[in-house]
Amino acid sequence: MLGSVTDAEDVLQDAWLKWSATDRDAISHPKAYLVRTVTNLSLNRLTSARATRETYVGPWLPEPLLTSPDIASEAELADSVSTAMLVVLETLSPVERAVFLLREVFGYSHGEIAETLERPEPAVRQIAHRARAHVRARRPRYDADPDRRRQITAQFLDACAGGDLNAMMELLAPDVTAWSDGGGKVTAARRPLHGIDHVARWLLGFLAKPELAALTMEPAVINGELGILATLDGHTVGALSFDLGDGRIHNLRFQVNPDKLSGLTPDNGLTPDNGLAPPEAIKPAQIGLPPASPAG
């Protein structure tokens, strides 16, 4: 609902406080009460967050979260929490987002949603139809084959480790776009980058910086899909997710804002066995790339 690990934790804490202070005997349907409480708290938080995002520096991306392999194996659930899906949900209004998730992901009836949101059922039906059509038109339809994704992830890491421009360009789709969310806290491209040549040169040029000589990139299940976790000197510094179609990468999303990496700490017990051999620390070769574009 929120696209933010921190906000989600805050909402659950607030919901717990409300639940603790409530006379339980007066609640006939605890589950309905909790769903309504969490939904309304989320709506309030999302509405206020939108004003903040209007002044956000550079592209805004949802927060990454290490998830268990069990989630990745459940295609429908994995799709609902994927970074690509969360990006699409950001284009909905807060109420549309709530209705869509309650209906399409959690399977609540229109009547139940109407009671939760305290809105007429016909209005909820219209919102649900509009939100479903909106998501369907924008939801990416890419290859979800886990074996293919593992293969492309390994090839991508090899290209990064070797600073191999040609290999990187072979992995990228002609219409590839890269987003970097640094939030003005760290160096990141403040505009989306488009096209194979631009994206590949920017990425390898960035990794070739001397201060990143000890950077390690390894596969990890992030938001229900196999992605890449980046660490430097033992600290998590970023996450990469991507969309895969026809054996090529169509969208790259780099989350490097340090304020949005709390969900990537391995102490949450969700660090996955990703089935890939542990990669060596990536130290891209200096390959004579041209300077990064002004967008960087």
Side-chain angles (χ1 to χ4, degrees):
M1 179 68 179
L2 297 170
S4 164
V5 175
T6 303
D7 286 347
E9 291 174 343
D10 288 346
V11 162
L12 290 182
Q13 178 68 19
D14 291 344
W16 170 249
L17 292 175
K18 287 179 177 292
W19 174 251
S20 300
T22 299
D23 179 5
R24 311 284 178 83
D25 295 333
I27 300 177
S28 56
H29 300 288
K31 182 178 180 180
Y33 173 87
L34 290 170
V35 169
R36 181 166 57 251
T37 299
V38 170
T39 299
N40 288 328
L41 287 171
S42 296
L43 282 171
N44 293 338
R45 182 64 63 99
L46 188 57
T47 300
S48 62
R50 290 210 158 195
T52 303
R53 292 173 192 174
E54 289 178 359
T55 59
Y56 196 79
V57 178
W60 187 96
L61 292 175
E63 292 184 21
L65 177 69
L66 285 178
T67 48
S68 78
D70 292 340
I71 292 179
S73 66
E74 299 177 18
E76 185 173 350
L77 180 58
D79 178 66
S80 68
V81 300
S82 70
T83 303
M85 184 61 171
L86 292 177
V87 169
V88 173
L89 292 178
E90 282 296 314
T91 63
L92 297 174
S93 72
V95 171
E96 287 175 336
R97 188 164 180 163
V99 171
F100 178 85
L101 291 173
L102 289 171
R103 177 63 180 165
E104 301 299 325
V105 178
F106 296 104
Y108 284 93
S109 68
H110 293 111
E112 290 171 322
I113 298 172
E115 184 176 349
T116 296
L117 298 179
E118 298 181 342
R119 289 171 176 257
E121 185 174 341
V124 168
R125 287 182 178 275
Q126 291 181 349
I127 294 172
H129 175 76
R130 184 169 64 247
R132 186 167 55 249
H134 183 98
V135 170
R136 186 177 298 158
R138 290 164 176 78
R139 174 187 287 178
R141 294 294 182 185
Y142 296 122
D143 186 0
D145 177 52
D147 291 334
R148 186 60 173 152
R149 193 173 186 89
R150 280 192 290 269
Q151 179 184 7
I152 294 298
T153 301
Q155 291 174 349
F156 181 87
L157 288 172
D158 286 343
C160 289
D164 191 331
L165 181 61
N166 290 331
M168 180 63 70
M169 294 177 71
E170 283 293 323
L171 291 170
L172 302 179
D175 62 349
V176 65
T177 298
W179 291 266
S180 300
D181 182 346
K185 308 285 185 178
V186 296
T187 301
R190 296 195 176 185
R191 297 191 302 273
L193 306 175
H194 305 285
I196 292 177
D197 187 73
H198 198 186
V199 171
R201 290 178 181 274
W202 170 81
L203 173 58
L204 295 183
F206 179 81
L207 291 175
K209 292 182 177 181
E211 59 267 31
L212 297 181
L215 183 73
T216 298
M217 297 172 69
E218 59 184 349
V221 179
I222 299 172
N223 290 23
E225 291 182 325
L226 188 63
I228 295 172
L229 188 67
T231 58
L232 184 63
D233 297 327
H235 301 286
T236 300
V237 294
L240 166 64
S241 63
F242 58 88
D243 299 331
L244 184 64
D246 298 324
R248 292 198 173 190
I249 295 171
H250 288 256
N251 296 299
L252 288 162
R253 301 182 183 90
F254 298 89
Q255 182 55 266
V256 292
N257 184 342
D259 295 340
K260 301 169 78 171
L261 302 178
S262 63
L264 297 176
T265 54
D267 57 4
N268 62 13
L270 295 177
T271 303
D273 175 7
N274 47 55
L276 291 176
E280 298 179 357
I282 286 184
K283 300 179 180 179
Q286 301 292 332
I287 54 178
L289 294 173
S293 69

